[in-house]
Amino acid sequence: MPAPDALAKPVVDYAAAPEHVAVIMDGNGRWAAARGLPRSEGHRRGVAALRQAVRTAGELGIKVLTLYSFSAENWSRPAEEIDDLMALVKQFVREDLDELHRSGVCVRVIGDRSGLDPEIFRMICEAEELTRANDRLTLVVAFNYGGRQEIARAARHLAEQAAAGRLDPMSIDAAMVESQLDTAGLPDPSLVIRTSGEQRLSNFLLWQSAYAEFVFLPIHWPDFDRAAFELAIGEFHRRERRFGGLTARTGS
Ligand code: IPE
Ligand code: IPE
Ligand code: MG
């Protein structure tokens, strides 16, 4: 039997919220299909869940929240669905950017920006510029993102410098590769959450999640609420993290 005061402890120790939580927001389409609704409605409800997740992350004391919003492979979906998703991205920035800024959120977008719709490209730059100095929560949006592509871009950049004689190939180490990733300067995620019951990474933060804990939730993204967020963090706190050693180490 746990001691009575252990029972009284809140499920989530807010002081110990993981510093960086990354989320694969999956299951919008299935959420809609289960209700006889079009996939676009699932995505619309997904944006509402996203909004709530950002708010909750701030309240829980999380410093960095990374959300997988569109993968490099998602372009293979039907044109109509891509159009719906792009319209939602634009609508989200238009409607939510000021509020995010007011609440101290710093927006950072990772992924390949080359070849993006010029309006989306401009919106991304504006959002980053406007919120650059905010430090309550960093919201990292993975858009047109693929972990393999990100690592390849970093490798290409280092190879260019080496070919130009500005870099000794023997000096390339993990820290140097990391410094070329889109996430340079951010802590690695200690917790990666995926909704929808799928248990895979789908090309998300391949490098950065080397020692992350994974929590797979059986609910679809539009149903992800504060209780689900707290449940995932509670599960994270029950894990023993060893980072290759023999004893548990606490990592934030
Ligand atoms: C996640 O939901 C949102 C994006 C990938 C943009 P899905 O659209 O993948 O929904 P399912 O997985 O088909 O249910
Ligand atoms: C991953 O979900 C991408 C996002 C959540 C943005 P997918 O639905 O694209 O992944 P797969 O195809 O099921 O692996
Ligand atoms: Mg999916």
Side-chain angles (χ1 to χ4, degrees):
M1 264 287 280
D5 60 333
L7 286 173
K9 253 184 101 182
V11 182
V12 176
D13 179 357
Y14 296 111
E19 186 180 16
H20 181 176
V21 177
V23 187
I24 303 173
M25 310 183 288
D26 196 21
N28 291 349
R30 280 165 283 170
W31 182 92
R35 289 158 181 79
L37 299 167
R39 290 179 63 86
S40 57
E41 184 57 20
H43 294 312
R44 211 178 60 76
R45 291 292 295 261
V47 174
L50 182 159
R51 210 172 265 132
Q52 192 190 359
V54 175
R55 210 176 310 121
T56 304
E59 289 165 7
L60 295 178
I62 290 164
K63 293 309 289 179
V64 183
L65 177 69
T66 298
L67 299 176
Y68 202 6
S69 65
F70 193 84
S71 78
E73 288 76 33
N74 284 148
W75 296 109
S76 62
R77 295 190 179 195
E80 191 190 332
E81 177 158 351
I82 305 240
D83 289 348
D84 287 339
L85 286 166
M86 296 303 139
L88 277 174
V89 168
K90 291 178 194 171
Q91 190 186 348
F92 176 72
V93 178
R94 265 188 226 112
E95 290 179 0
D96 287 62
L97 183 59
D98 284 342
E99 171 61 22
L100 289 171
H101 181 44
R102 270 197 303 277
S103 51
V105 175
C106 170
V107 178
R108 182 158 160 183
V109 180
I110 59 171
D112 189 355
R113 292 185 196 188
S114 59
L116 286 184
D117 167 322
E119 195 185 350
I120 290 191
F121 179 83
R122 187 179 48 73
M123 285 175 136
I124 288 175
C125 298
E126 276 175 20
E128 288 185 329
E129 195 51 47
L130 176 71
T131 63
R132 191 174 298 282
N134 294 339
D135 61 2
R136 179 154 183 256
L137 168 74
T138 299
L139 173 63
V140 182
V141 181
F143 181 75
N144 191 24
Y145 176 86
R148 287 179 169 176
Q149 293 85 338
E150 178 191 37
I151 294 167
R153 278 198 305 280
R156 193 185 318 133
H157 193 233
L158 291 174
E160 278 165 5
Q161 292 187 42
R166 288 194 298 272
L167 175 69
D168 174 5
M170 289 309 292
S171 69
I172 297 175
D173 57 9
M176 193 180 287
V177 174
E178 210 163 275
S179 74
Q180 301 303 316
L181 297 176
D182 298 351
T183 49
L186 294 170
D188 284 341
S190 30
L191 168 62
V192 175
I193 301 170
R194 181 171 188 150
T195 56
S196 90
E198 306 300 344
Q199 303 194 2
R200 55 177 172 263
L201 273 180
S202 302
N203 208 7
F204 185 50
L205 299 183
L206 298 183
W207 175 286
Q208 299 86 341
S209 60
Y211 273 100
E213 296 298 326
F214 293 92
V215 173
F216 299 104
L217 297 174
I219 55 167
H220 293 311
W221 176 250
D223 289 328
F224 184 87
D225 56 9
R226 189 185 177 111
F229 211 151
E230 293 192 356
L231 191 115
I233 293 176
E235 171 62 24
F236 168 79
H237 283 305
R238 279 189 287 278
R239 302 278 174 86
E240 185 178 296
R241 308 184 74 201
R242 299 195 199 98
F243 298 94
L246 294 181
T247 50
R249 260 172 51 193
T250 47
S252 61

mmCIF file of all heavy atoms in Angstrom, residues 6-19 21 56-62 191 193 224-238:
data_model
loop_
_atom_site.group_PDB
_atom_site.id
_atom_site.type_symbol
_atom_site.label_atom_id
_atom_site.label_comp_id
_atom_site.label_asym_id
_atom_site.label_seq_id
_atom_site.Cartn_x
_atom_site.Cartn_y
_atom_site.Cartn_z
ATOM 1 N N ALA A 6 1.387 9.780 -0.447
ATOM 2 C CA ALA A 6 1.690 9.461 -1.854
ATOM 3 C C ALA A 6 0.384 9.417 -2.644
ATOM 4 O O ALA A 6 0.305 9.838 -3.797
ATOM 5 C CB ALA A 6 2.408 8.123 -1.948
ATOM 6 N N LEU A 7 -0.672 8.911 -1.991
ATOM 7 C CA LEU A 7 -1.975 8.857 -2.666
ATOM 8 C C LEU A 7 -2.504 10.262 -2.934
ATOM 9 O O LEU A 7 -3.181 10.505 -3.928
ATOM 10 C CB LEU A 7 -2.980 8.093 -1.801
ATOM 11 C CG LEU A 7 -2.795 6.572 -1.753
ATOM 12 C CD1 LEU A 7 -3.746 5.968 -0.745
ATOM 13 C CD2 LEU A 7 -3.027 5.959 -3.124
ATOM 14 N N ALA A 8 -2.184 11.163 -2.010
ATOM 15 C CA ALA A 8 -2.711 12.523 -2.140
ATOM 16 C C ALA A 8 -1.952 13.337 -3.189
ATOM 17 O O ALA A 8 -2.405 14.379 -3.616
ATOM 18 C CB ALA A 8 -2.625 13.234 -0.787
ATOM 19 N N LYS A 9 -0.778 12.819 -3.597
ATOM 20 C CA LYS A 9 0.033 13.581 -4.567
ATOM 21 C C LYS A 9 -0.718 13.757 -5.881
ATOM 22 O O LYS A 9 -1.375 12.825 -6.343
ATOM 23 C CB LYS A 9 1.332 12.806 -4.852
ATOM 24 C CG LYS A 9 2.552 13.433 -4.215
ATOM 25 C CD LYS A 9 3.799 12.688 -4.616
ATOM 26 C CE LYS A 9 4.498 13.444 -5.704
ATOM 27 N NZ LYS A 9 5.676 12.794 -6.203
ATOM 28 N N PRO A 10 -0.633 14.912 -6.495
ATOM 29 C CA PRO A 10 -1.318 15.055 -7.780
ATOM 30 C C PRO A 10 -0.702 14.121 -8.817
ATOM 31 O O PRO A 10 0.463 13.741 -8.703
ATOM 32 C CB PRO A 10 -1.072 16.519 -8.154
ATOM 33 C CG PRO A 10 0.075 16.964 -7.318
ATOM 34 C CD PRO A 10 0.093 16.116 -6.099
ATOM 35 N N VAL A 11 -1.509 13.744 -9.800
ATOM 36 C CA VAL A 11 -1.034 12.810 -10.827
ATOM 37 C C VAL A 11 0.181 13.414 -11.529
ATOM 38 O O VAL A 11 1.140 12.744 -11.844
ATOM 39 C CB VAL A 11 -2.150 12.553 -11.861
ATOM 40 C CG1 VAL A 11 -1.678 11.543 -12.893
ATOM 41 C CG2 VAL A 11 -3.403 12.068 -11.165
ATOM 42 N N VAL A 12 0.116 14.697 -11.762
ATOM 43 C CA VAL A 12 1.218 15.344 -12.461
ATOM 44 C C VAL A 12 1.939 16.272 -11.498
ATOM 45 O O VAL A 12 1.322 17.081 -10.818
ATOM 46 C CB VAL A 12 0.686 16.179 -13.658
ATOM 47 C CG1 VAL A 12 1.823 16.931 -14.313
ATOM 48 C CG2 VAL A 12 -0.010 15.281 -14.648
ATOM 49 N N ASP A 13 3.255 16.107 -11.436
ATOM 50 C CA ASP A 13 4.057 17.015 -10.640
ATOM 51 C C ASP A 13 4.442 18.168 -11.570
ATOM 52 O O ASP A 13 5.331 18.056 -12.392
ATOM 53 C CB ASP A 13 5.300 16.261 -10.139
ATOM 54 C CG ASP A 13 6.201 17.167 -9.310
ATOM 55 O OD1 ASP A 13 5.875 18.362 -9.193
ATOM 56 O OD2 ASP A 13 7.211 16.674 -8.802
ATOM 57 N N TYR A 14 3.727 19.281 -11.426
ATOM 58 C CA TYR A 14 3.907 20.379 -12.383
ATOM 59 C C TYR A 14 5.331 20.909 -12.400
ATOM 60 O O TYR A 14 5.843 21.334 -13.419
ATOM 61 C CB TYR A 14 2.922 21.510 -12.088
ATOM 62 C CG TYR A 14 1.510 21.074 -12.281
ATOM 63 C CD1 TYR A 14 0.653 20.931 -11.207
ATOM 64 C CD2 TYR A 14 1.039 20.767 -13.556
ATOM 65 C CE1 TYR A 14 -0.644 20.492 -11.389
ATOM 66 C CE2 TYR A 14 -0.253 20.332 -13.746
ATOM 67 C CZ TYR A 14 -1.087 20.197 -12.655
ATOM 68 O OH TYR A 14 -2.356 19.753 -12.842
ATOM 69 N N ALA A 15 5.967 20.878 -11.200
ATOM 70 C CA ALA A 15 7.335 21.399 -11.127
ATOM 71 C C ALA A 15 8.257 20.568 -12.012
ATOM 72 O O ALA A 15 9.280 21.046 -12.462
ATOM 73 C CB ALA A 15 7.805 21.367 -9.686
ATOM 74 N N ALA A 16 7.884 19.308 -12.233
ATOM 75 C CA ALA A 16 8.771 18.415 -12.978
ATOM 76 C C ALA A 16 8.260 18.131 -14.390
ATOM 77 O O ALA A 16 8.571 17.107 -14.967
ATOM 78 C CB ALA A 16 8.929 17.114 -12.201
ATOM 79 N N ALA A 17 7.466 19.024 -14.929
ATOM 80 C CA ALA A 17 6.971 18.808 -16.295
ATOM 81 C C ALA A 17 8.164 18.674 -17.234
ATOM 82 O O ALA A 17 9.159 19.387 -17.077
ATOM 83 C CB ALA A 17 6.100 19.985 -16.718
ATOM 84 N N PRO A 18 8.112 17.745 -18.190
ATOM 85 C CA PRO A 18 9.239 17.620 -19.113
ATOM 86 C C PRO A 18 9.483 18.949 -19.815
ATOM 87 O O PRO A 18 8.530 19.666 -20.144
ATOM 88 C CB PRO A 18 8.777 16.556 -20.114
ATOM 89 C CG PRO A 18 7.522 15.976 -19.582
ATOM 90 C CD PRO A 18 7.001 16.860 -18.508
ATOM 91 N N GLU A 19 10.738 19.252 -20.039
ATOM 92 C CA GLU A 19 11.067 20.547 -20.635
ATOM 93 C C GLU A 19 10.550 20.634 -22.081
ATOM 94 O O GLU A 19 10.025 21.646 -22.506
ATOM 95 C CB GLU A 19 12.591 20.746 -20.609
ATOM 96 C CG GLU A 19 13.017 22.121 -21.075
ATOM 97 C CD GLU A 19 14.522 22.299 -21.039
ATOM 98 O OE1 GLU A 19 15.258 21.297 -20.942
ATOM 99 O OE2 GLU A 19 14.957 23.467 -21.129
ATOM 100 N N VAL A 21 8.198 18.549 -24.870
ATOM 101 C CA VAL A 21 7.266 17.480 -25.256
ATOM 102 C C VAL A 21 6.968 17.630 -26.739
ATOM 103 O O VAL A 21 6.697 18.743 -27.222
ATOM 104 C CB VAL A 21 5.947 17.569 -24.450
ATOM 105 C CG1 VAL A 21 4.964 16.500 -24.898
ATOM 106 C CG2 VAL A 21 6.218 17.446 -22.951
ATOM 107 N N THR A 56 -2.568 24.230 -22.548
ATOM 108 C CA THR A 56 -2.261 23.302 -21.451
ATOM 109 C C THR A 56 -0.755 23.195 -21.236
ATOM 110 O O THR A 56 -0.287 23.175 -20.094
ATOM 111 C CB THR A 56 -2.846 21.909 -21.761
ATOM 112 O OG1 THR A 56 -4.245 22.048 -21.999
ATOM 113 C CG2 THR A 56 -2.637 20.944 -20.610
ATOM 114 N N ALA A 57 0.001 23.140 -22.322
ATOM 115 C CA ALA A 57 1.460 23.021 -22.185
ATOM 116 C C ALA A 57 2.006 24.191 -21.374
ATOM 117 O O ALA A 57 2.841 24.014 -20.482
ATOM 118 C CB ALA A 57 2.122 22.961 -23.558
ATOM 119 N N GLY A 58 1.507 25.384 -21.662
ATOM 120 C CA GLY A 58 1.947 26.564 -20.915
ATOM 121 C C GLY A 58 1.586 26.430 -19.446
ATOM 122 O O GLY A 58 2.404 26.693 -18.564
ATOM 123 N N GLU A 59 0.367 25.975 -19.185
ATOM 124 C CA GLU A 59 -0.082 25.841 -17.795
ATOM 125 C C GLU A 59 0.712 24.784 -17.041
ATOM 126 O O GLU A 59 0.917 24.893 -15.836
ATOM 127 C CB GLU A 59 -1.576 25.497 -17.763
ATOM 128 C CG GLU A 59 -2.455 26.666 -18.180
ATOM 129 C CD GLU A 59 -3.892 26.251 -18.498
ATOM 130 O OE1 GLU A 59 -4.255 25.068 -18.262
ATOM 131 O OE2 GLU A 59 -4.639 27.096 -18.995
ATOM 132 N N LEU A 60 1.138 23.749 -17.742
ATOM 133 C CA LEU A 60 1.873 22.668 -17.079
ATOM 134 C C LEU A 60 3.359 23.000 -16.887
ATOM 135 O O LEU A 60 4.094 22.234 -16.297
ATOM 136 C CB LEU A 60 1.753 21.369 -17.887
ATOM 137 C CG LEU A 60 0.356 20.764 -17.988
ATOM 138 C CD1 LEU A 60 0.385 19.507 -18.858
ATOM 139 C CD2 LEU A 60 -0.193 20.424 -16.612
ATOM 140 N N GLY A 61 3.778 24.123 -17.430
ATOM 141 C CA GLY A 61 5.180 24.520 -17.253
ATOM 142 C C GLY A 61 6.129 23.907 -18.260
ATOM 143 O O GLY A 61 7.349 23.939 -18.081
ATOM 144 N N ILE A 62 5.580 23.329 -19.319
ATOM 145 C CA ILE A 62 6.425 22.805 -20.396
ATOM 146 C C ILE A 62 7.061 23.998 -21.105
ATOM 147 O O ILE A 62 6.398 25.015 -21.321
ATOM 148 C CB ILE A 62 5.542 21.957 -21.360
ATOM 149 C CG1 ILE A 62 5.121 20.673 -20.643
ATOM 150 C CG2 ILE A 62 6.256 21.669 -22.673
ATOM 151 C CD1 ILE A 62 3.966 19.953 -21.301
ATOM 152 N N LEU A 191 9.835 13.582 -24.059
ATOM 153 C CA LEU A 191 8.596 12.803 -24.206
ATOM 154 C C LEU A 191 8.020 13.044 -25.602
ATOM 155 O O LEU A 191 7.861 14.193 -26.020
ATOM 156 C CB LEU A 191 7.587 13.254 -23.134
ATOM 157 C CG LEU A 191 6.139 12.788 -23.276
ATOM 158 C CD1 LEU A 191 6.036 11.255 -23.214
ATOM 159 C CD2 LEU A 191 5.265 13.402 -22.180
ATOM 160 N N ILE A 193 4.658 12.036 -27.703
ATOM 161 C CA ILE A 193 3.308 11.469 -27.591
ATOM 162 C C ILE A 193 2.763 11.259 -28.997
ATOM 163 O O ILE A 193 2.913 12.139 -29.850
ATOM 164 C CB ILE A 193 2.365 12.446 -26.836
ATOM 165 C CG1 ILE A 193 2.891 12.757 -25.430
ATOM 166 C CG2 ILE A 193 0.941 11.896 -26.777
ATOM 167 C CD1 ILE A 193 2.141 13.906 -24.732
ATOM 168 N N PHE A 224 -7.863 14.742 -27.908
ATOM 169 C CA PHE A 224 -6.738 14.962 -26.980
ATOM 170 C C PHE A 224 -7.035 16.209 -26.147
ATOM 171 O O PHE A 224 -7.076 17.331 -26.652
ATOM 172 C CB PHE A 224 -5.441 15.151 -27.781
ATOM 173 C CG PHE A 224 -4.208 15.290 -26.924
ATOM 174 C CD1 PHE A 224 -3.509 14.173 -26.493
ATOM 175 C CD2 PHE A 224 -3.736 16.541 -26.562
ATOM 176 C CE1 PHE A 224 -2.363 14.293 -25.709
ATOM 177 C CE2 PHE A 224 -2.587 16.676 -25.780
ATOM 178 C CZ PHE A 224 -1.904 15.554 -25.350
ATOM 179 N N ASP A 225 -7.250 15.986 -24.854
ATOM 180 C CA ASP A 225 -7.581 17.108 -23.971
ATOM 181 C C ASP A 225 -6.581 17.162 -22.817
ATOM 182 O O ASP A 225 -5.603 16.418 -22.795
ATOM 183 C CB ASP A 225 -9.021 16.976 -23.452
ATOM 184 C CG ASP A 225 -9.240 15.631 -22.749
ATOM 185 O OD1 ASP A 225 -8.242 14.902 -22.524
ATOM 186 O OD2 ASP A 225 -10.390 15.311 -22.423
ATOM 187 N N ARG A 226 -6.871 18.020 -21.864
ATOM 188 C CA ARG A 226 -5.937 18.174 -20.738
ATOM 189 C C ARG A 226 -5.732 16.857 -19.985
ATOM 190 O O ARG A 226 -4.609 16.530 -19.572
ATOM 191 C CB ARG A 226 -6.464 19.252 -19.784
ATOM 192 C CG ARG A 226 -5.443 19.590 -18.735
ATOM 193 C CD ARG A 226 -5.974 20.568 -17.697
ATOM 194 N NE ARG A 226 -4.939 20.769 -16.707
ATOM 195 C CZ ARG A 226 -4.271 21.908 -16.540
ATOM 196 N NH1 ARG A 226 -4.549 22.952 -17.262
ATOM 197 N NH2 ARG A 226 -3.335 21.989 -15.620
ATOM 198 N N ALA A 227 -6.806 16.097 -19.820
ATOM 199 C CA ALA A 227 -6.683 14.823 -19.084
ATOM 200 C C ALA A 227 -5.737 13.882 -19.820
ATOM 201 O O ALA A 227 -4.909 13.198 -19.197
ATOM 202 C CB ALA A 227 -8.068 14.193 -18.917
ATOM 203 N N ALA A 228 -5.836 13.847 -21.145
ATOM 204 C CA ALA A 228 -4.958 12.970 -21.931
ATOM 205 C C ALA A 228 -3.504 13.441 -21.817
ATOM 206 O O ALA A 228 -2.573 12.632 -21.708
ATOM 207 C CB ALA A 228 -5.403 12.965 -23.392
ATOM 208 N N PHE A 229 -3.334 14.746 -21.835
ATOM 209 C CA PHE A 229 -1.980 15.332 -21.719
ATOM 210 C C PHE A 229 -1.374 14.942 -20.357
ATOM 211 O O PHE A 229 -0.226 14.483 -20.259
ATOM 212 C CB PHE A 229 -2.073 16.862 -21.851
ATOM 213 C CG PHE A 229 -0.871 17.510 -22.475
ATOM 214 C CD1 PHE A 229 -1.008 18.697 -23.202
ATOM 215 C CD2 PHE A 229 0.400 16.971 -22.336
ATOM 216 C CE1 PHE A 229 0.103 19.315 -23.794
ATOM 217 C CE2 PHE A 229 1.508 17.585 -22.914
ATOM 218 C CZ PHE A 229 1.358 18.754 -23.634
ATOM 219 N N GLU A 230 -2.175 15.092 -19.304
ATOM 220 C CA GLU A 230 -1.686 14.763 -17.962
ATOM 221 C C GLU A 230 -1.401 13.272 -17.831
ATOM 222 O O GLU A 230 -0.443 12.856 -17.172
ATOM 223 C CB GLU A 230 -2.692 15.222 -16.908
ATOM 224 C CG GLU A 230 -2.806 16.739 -16.841
ATOM 225 C CD GLU A 230 -3.578 17.224 -15.624
ATOM 226 O OE1 GLU A 230 -4.096 16.385 -14.865
ATOM 227 O OE2 GLU A 230 -3.665 18.453 -15.440
ATOM 228 N N LEU A 231 -2.230 12.470 -18.473
ATOM 229 C CA LEU A 231 -2.010 11.018 -18.434
ATOM 230 C C LEU A 231 -0.663 10.656 -19.065
ATOM 231 O O LEU A 231 0.117 9.861 -18.533
ATOM 232 C CB LEU A 231 -3.147 10.340 -19.203
ATOM 233 C CG LEU A 231 -3.263 8.845 -19.065
ATOM 234 C CD1 LEU A 231 -4.587 8.524 -18.362
ATOM 235 C CD2 LEU A 231 -3.266 8.160 -20.422
ATOM 236 N N ALA A 232 -0.380 11.281 -20.192
ATOM 237 C CA ALA A 232 0.879 10.990 -20.896
ATOM 238 C C ALA A 232 2.075 11.426 -20.041
ATOM 239 O O ALA A 232 3.082 10.719 -19.948
ATOM 240 C CB ALA A 232 0.901 11.699 -22.246
ATOM 241 N N ILE A 233 1.945 12.571 -19.387
ATOM 242 C CA ILE A 233 3.051 13.047 -18.551
ATOM 243 C C ILE A 233 3.206 12.155 -17.314
ATOM 244 O O ILE A 233 4.318 11.839 -16.886
ATOM 245 C CB ILE A 233 2.845 14.524 -18.170
ATOM 246 C CG1 ILE A 233 2.955 15.379 -19.432
ATOM 247 C CG2 ILE A 233 3.884 14.977 -17.138
ATOM 248 C CD1 ILE A 233 2.676 16.838 -19.225
ATOM 249 N N GLY A 234 2.071 11.718 -16.774
ATOM 250 C CA GLY A 234 2.125 10.787 -15.637
ATOM 251 C C GLY A 234 2.860 9.514 -16.030
ATOM 252 O O GLY A 234 3.702 8.999 -15.285
ATOM 253 N N GLU A 235 2.581 8.998 -17.219
ATOM 254 C CA GLU A 235 3.256 7.790 -17.717
ATOM 255 C C GLU A 235 4.759 8.067 -17.884
ATOM 256 O O GLU A 235 5.599 7.242 -17.512
ATOM 257 C CB GLU A 235 2.614 7.372 -19.047
ATOM 258 C CG GLU A 235 3.316 6.263 -19.805
ATOM 259 C CD GLU A 235 3.361 4.944 -19.052
ATOM 260 O OE1 GLU A 235 2.500 4.724 -18.185
ATOM 261 O OE2 GLU A 235 4.283 4.146 -19.323
ATOM 262 N N PHE A 236 5.070 9.227 -18.403
ATOM 263 C CA PHE A 236 6.483 9.618 -18.554
ATOM 264 C C PHE A 236 7.213 9.552 -17.203
ATOM 265 O O PHE A 236 8.328 9.034 -17.113
ATOM 266 C CB PHE A 236 6.561 11.042 -19.130
ATOM 267 C CG PHE A 236 7.925 11.664 -19.062
ATOM 268 C CD1 PHE A 236 8.905 11.329 -19.978
ATOM 269 C CD2 PHE A 236 8.225 12.590 -18.070
ATOM 270 C CE1 PHE A 236 10.172 11.901 -19.912
ATOM 271 C CE2 PHE A 236 9.490 13.164 -17.998
ATOM 272 C CZ PHE A 236 10.458 12.814 -18.922
ATOM 273 N N HIS A 237 6.567 10.037 -16.167
ATOM 274 C CA HIS A 237 7.220 10.059 -14.853
ATOM 275 C C HIS A 237 7.402 8.658 -14.268
ATOM 276 O O HIS A 237 8.219 8.468 -13.360
ATOM 277 C CB HIS A 237 6.435 10.944 -13.878
ATOM 278 C CG HIS A 237 6.667 12.407 -14.125
ATOM 279 N ND1 HIS A 237 7.915 12.967 -14.140
ATOM 280 C CD2 HIS A 237 5.807 13.419 -14.408
ATOM 281 C CE1 HIS A 237 7.822 14.253 -14.398
ATOM 282 N NE2 HIS A 237 6.554 14.552 -14.578
ATOM 283 N N ARG A 238 6.650 7.702 -14.777
ATOM 284 C CA ARG A 238 6.817 6.333 -14.268
ATOM 285 C C ARG A 238 7.958 5.593 -14.965
ATOM 286 O O ARG A 238 8.352 4.513 -14.564
ATOM 287 C CB ARG A 238 5.507 5.546 -14.430
ATOM 288 C CG ARG A 238 4.499 5.838 -13.324
ATOM 289 C CD ARG A 238 3.320 4.908 -13.378
ATOM 290 N NE ARG A 238 2.448 5.226 -14.503
ATOM 291 C CZ ARG A 238 1.523 6.193 -14.485
ATOM 292 N NH1 ARG A 238 1.350 6.917 -13.401
ATOM 293 N NH2 ARG A 238 0.786 6.435 -15.542
#
